[in-house]
Amino acid sequence: MCLIVTIIMLVFSIQNLIQHQWLIGILQLIIALAFLLLLIRNIQKARCDRNGGCNNGCMVTNWIGNLFKKS
């Protein structure tokens, strides 16, 4: 799901930037990058769960994950 949304938003962003609609193009690019970060985090978590745990990780995705952590 994240991959599909990322690709669609990236294509829409490129189309709007080509048509000189800067505000909506940049907004869609930011949304696409956010979904890309979520996708990277999900892949990393799946690898860690499969291998039994990870000590190292991407600091950006860990930081974002800690913002939305369940209490």
Side-chain angles (χ1 to χ4, degrees), residues 51-69:
N51 294 336
C54 291
N55 293 333
N56 58 358
C58 180
M59 291 302 294
V60 174
T61 56
N62 289 341
W63 180 75
I64 292 172
N66 289 335
L67 286 177
F68 301 108
K69 189 178 248 184

Side-chain angles (χ1 to χ4, degrees), residues 14-64:
I14 292 170
Q15 287 176 345
N16 283 320
L17 290 173
I18 288 173
Q19 294 175 358
H20 302 287
Q21 296 177 351
W22 305 113
L23 184 62
I24 193 70
I26 291 172
L27 179 65
Q28 288 172 334
L29 184 63
I30 291 170
I31 293 170
L33 292 176
F35 273 101
L36 182 64
L37 280 174
L38 287 173
L39 181 65
I40 292 170
R41 183 178 178 276
N42 287 341
I43 291 170
Q44 179 184 11
K45 293 261 311 169
R47 284 183 182 168
C48 287
D49 290 343
R50 185 177 58 224
N51 294 336
C54 291
N55 293 333
N56 58 358
C58 180
M59 291 302 294
V60 174
T61 56
N62 289 341
W63 180 75
I64 292 172

